[in-house]
Amino acid sequence: MNLKLLLAEDDDDLRQTLVEALEMEGFDVYACVDAEEAIEAAENDRFDLALLDMIMPGATGIEAISNIVRSQPNIGIVISTAFGTVATAVDAMKKGAHEFISKPFDLESLVMTLKRVHAQRTTPPSLAGEKADKVFAALANPIRRQTLLKLMVHKRLRFMDLCRLVEVDNHTRFNFHIRQLKQASLVEQSESKVYFLTTEGKKLCASLFSEQN
Amino acid sequence: MNLKLLLAEDDDDLRQTLVEALEMEGFDVYACVDAEEAIEAAENDRFDLALLDMIMPGATGIEAISNIVRSQPNIGIVISTAFGTVATAVDAMKKGAHEFISKPFDLESLVMTLKRVHAQRTTPPSLAGEKADKVFAALANPIRRQTLLKLMVHKRLRFMDLCRLVEVDNHTRFNFHIRQLKQASLVEQSESKVYFLTTEGKKLCASLFSEQN
DNA sequence: TATAGCTGTCAATTTTTCTTATCATAATGG
DNA sequence: CCATTATGATAAGAAAAATTGACAGCTATA
């Protein structure tokens, strides 16, 4: 199964060379002469990876990132550049790029970089597993979400403190809900009975917050 | 309400200057002489921001990022450096840094950078809103999650095609579930009745996938 | 025209989730 | 020691979610 690569490179010779070489390496390459063409392609087709030249006439590779990521949030993006600065690198990463590669580059490095970026981006979907069932069922309830929120802020809390923070006046009601969070492995207790988020709980909560950006 | 800043800077004079100046700007500064101390502080206390010098004896600011982010996934991280390269910038961003600032810097720039990073990282918690209720309720069901997954892969699908992909043999059962996704604004239909993910649906799904990294 | 397939609505029924009451044990303070 | 508070388990009943069946309108094809 070939990886689909969206290539944007204004230098004709280099673009042709890359197409031929990368297709020999097993990529399905869709080549664009500029960023605008790449943006349009990303809206109409699905790609695993994008290799964008930073400096192109018209919109730059960096300017194209946001648009491409908007169309395809899971695409892996590599920026190629001869003149990289820290500021442009940071800007590109913030927009969604995953890796930089400096011109001139050898083909072997490029292929390895592309495959590594793809491997890192490809995540096995576990949305249907039994574990995911418990986690998502736990998240469906507002009391439980509030509980996670309070634990994010305060890190360690005792049962009744937490119950009062969440504003549930019936402790057995709260007990039922925090048991669901424990069974979903989002929350656990120390020996002294203090509640805190598990590592998985922290990651999930951070993701749900940062998702609001 | 002051922002809590974790500062790691091995240069004594600069560190003292920064502490005094930043506290005058309204930050609560916890100063560390090295990365190890900063890592430990992040495990024991909550911070809004971290300002880490890139080059320090022992572990570098960059090496500390992963540990700090693991303890506090929502912290805003700024790296200060006199010698930045594209490679180190990209590496730091991948580990979780949000911004670079080059030495020598003026205090005004630093403060603006810190506040901007914090403003971008602070997200209004909407885990308890009515809209969130619908979204999370929709995600609680395995059929609905599978539906989102299929739409991520195929982008546009007709009702019966989607129903068969999700392997639900009773179409009215599937209809009930896809209605819930529509009501949660995760999925919508074109005029030709084709189903596709909304922007919000795409972002949420991408977050849930990338969360598995 | 008749038939098959697609897509959708509505409501009765079933299943799952949540609330509440009761009870229990442990810990703390006067 | 006693009273109070904290924390937790269990089960019945209430509420919410999901399933299922009946029906409908639309489109395409023979």
Side-chain angles (χ1 to χ4, degrees):
Chain A
M1 179 64 191
N2 289 354
L3 297 184
K4 299 188 66 175
L5 173 68
L6 177 62
L7 169 68
E9 171 60 64
D10 63 319
D11 183 308
D12 290 344
D13 289 343
L14 181 55
R15 187 174 67 250
Q16 203 61 28
T17 302
L18 286 174
V19 169
E20 288 170 7
L22 288 171
E23 301 219 328
M24 283 185 59
E25 289 288 338
F27 293 91
D28 291 340
V29 184
Y30 184 95
C32 307
V33 298
D34 57 24
E36 283 87 359
E37 191 180 343
I39 291 167
E40 188 173 350
E43 285 168 3
N44 296 324
D45 206 351
R46 192 195 72 89
F47 295 95
D48 300 298
L49 290 160
L51 175 61
L52 311 175
D53 186 21
M54 191 173 88
I55 308 292
M56 288 187 283
T60 66
I62 296 184
E63 285 159 8
I65 298 176
S66 302
N67 291 289
I68 291 173
V69 169
R70 191 175 302 125
S71 301
Q72 315 211 9
N74 275 345
I75 197 167
I77 296 183
V78 177
I79 303 286
S80 64
T81 176
F83 308 104
T85 66
V86 168
T88 52
V90 171
D91 189 33
M93 296 293 285
K94 285 200 268 186
K95 289 187 158 69
H98 299 103
E99 194 62 85
F100 271 66
I101 189 160
S102 299
K103 295 174 170 176
F105 45 73
D106 64 84
L107 182 72
E108 191 176 331
S109 291
L110 175 63
V111 171
M112 280 181 56
T113 298
L114 288 169
K115 288 185 175 176
R116 174 165 48 82
V117 166
H118 175 66
Q120 287 170 352
R121 294 299 303 166
T122 304
T123 54
S126 61
L127 286 176
E130 182 176 303
K131 181 60 188 296
D133 285 346
K134 276 197 165 68
V135 168
F136 283 109
L139 290 176
N141 179 274
I143 291 174
R144 283 180 228 140
R145 293 200 298 276
Q146 284 293 336
T147 300
L148 293 173
L149 209 57
K150 298 300 181 188
L151 283 172
M152 281 191 77
V153 172
H154 296 276
K155 303 181 74 82
R156 299 168 65 86
L157 287 164
R158 300 199 67 95
F159 180 90
M160 285 309 303
D161 293 337
L162 191 44
C163 180
R164 278 185 280 260
L165 271 177
V166 179
E167 297 181 329
V168 175
D169 55 8
N170 181 325
H171 85 271
T172 67
R173 178 182 181 190
F174 185 71
N175 180 271
F176 173 81
H177 289 295
I178 204 157
R179 281 165 67 100
Q180 305 305 309
L181 290 174
K182 281 175 69 179
Q183 279 161 25
S185 302
L186 298 178
V187 166
E188 64 188 341
Q189 282 174 285
S190 63
E191 289 177 2
S192 55
K193 304 289 183 66
V194 173
Y195 285 95
F196 59 95
L197 292 176
T198 60
T199 301
E200 183 182 354
K202 281 186 206 165
K203 285 169 63 178
L204 185 65
C205 293
S207 176
L208 291 172
F209 273 125
S210 62
E211 152 63 20
Q212 307 291 331
N213 282 355
Chain B
M1 181 63 192
N2 290 353
L3 297 184
K4 299 188 67 178
L5 173 67
L6 177 60
L7 169 68
E9 170 62 63
D10 63 320
D11 182 311
D12 288 346
D13 289 341
L14 180 55
R15 187 175 67 251
Q16 202 61 26
T17 302
L18 285 175
V19 169
E20 289 171 10
L22 289 171
E23 299 220 330
M24 285 186 59
E25 290 287 337
F27 292 90
D28 290 339
V29 183
Y30 185 94
C32 307
V33 299
D34 58 22
E36 282 87 358
E37 190 180 342
I39 292 168
E40 188 174 346
E43 285 169 2
N44 296 325
D45 206 351
R46 191 195 72 91
F47 296 96
D48 301 298
L49 290 161
L51 175 60
L52 310 175
D53 186 22
M54 191 173 87
I55 307 292
M56 288 187 282
T60 66
I62 296 185
E63 283 159 9
I65 297 176
S66 303
N67 290 290
I68 291 172
V69 168
R70 191 176 303 127
S71 301
Q72 314 213 10
N74 275 345
I75 196 167
I77 296 184
V78 176
I79 301 288
S80 64
T81 176
F83 308 106
T85 67
V86 166
T88 53
V90 170
D91 189 32
M93 296 294 285
K94 285 201 267 185
K95 287 186 160 68
H98 300 102
E99 193 62 83
F100 270 69
I101 189 160
S102 298
K103 295 176 172 175
F105 44 74
D106 62 85
L107 181 73
E108 191 176 330
S109 292
L110 176 63
V111 171
M112 281 182 56
T113 298
L114 287 169
K115 288 186 175 174
R116 174 165 47 85
V117 165
H118 176 67
Q120 288 169 352
R121 293 301 301 166
T122 304
T123 53
S126 62
L127 288 176
E130 183 174 302
K131 180 62 188 294
D133 286 345
K134 276 195 165 68
V135 169
F136 283 108
L139 289 176
N141 181 273
I143 290 173
R144 281 180 229 137
R145 294 200 295 276
Q146 284 293 337
T147 301
L148 292 173
L149 209 58
K150 299 300 181 186
L151 283 172
M152 280 190 76
V153 172
H154 297 276
K155 305 183 73 77
R156 301 168 64 86
L157 288 164
R158 301 198 67 95
F159 180 89
M160 285 309 301
D161 294 338
L162 191 45
C163 180
R164 278 185 280 257
L165 270 177
V166 180
E167 296 181 332
V168 176
D169 55 8
N170 181 325
H171 83 271
T172 66
R173 177 183 181 190
F174 185 71
N175 182 273
F176 171 81
H177 290 295
I178 204 154
R179 280 164 70 101
Q180 305 305 309
L181 290 173
K182 281 175 69 177
Q183 280 162 24
S185 301
L186 298 178
V187 165
E188 64 189 340
Q189 283 175 285
S190 63
E191 289 177 3
S192 54
K193 303 290 182 68
V194 172
Y195 286 96
F196 59 93
L197 292 177
T198 59
T199 301
E200 184 181 355
K202 280 185 206 165
K203 285 170 64 179
L204 185 65
C205 293
S207 176
L208 291 172
F209 275 125
S210 63
E211 153 65 21
Q212 309 290 332
N213 282 354

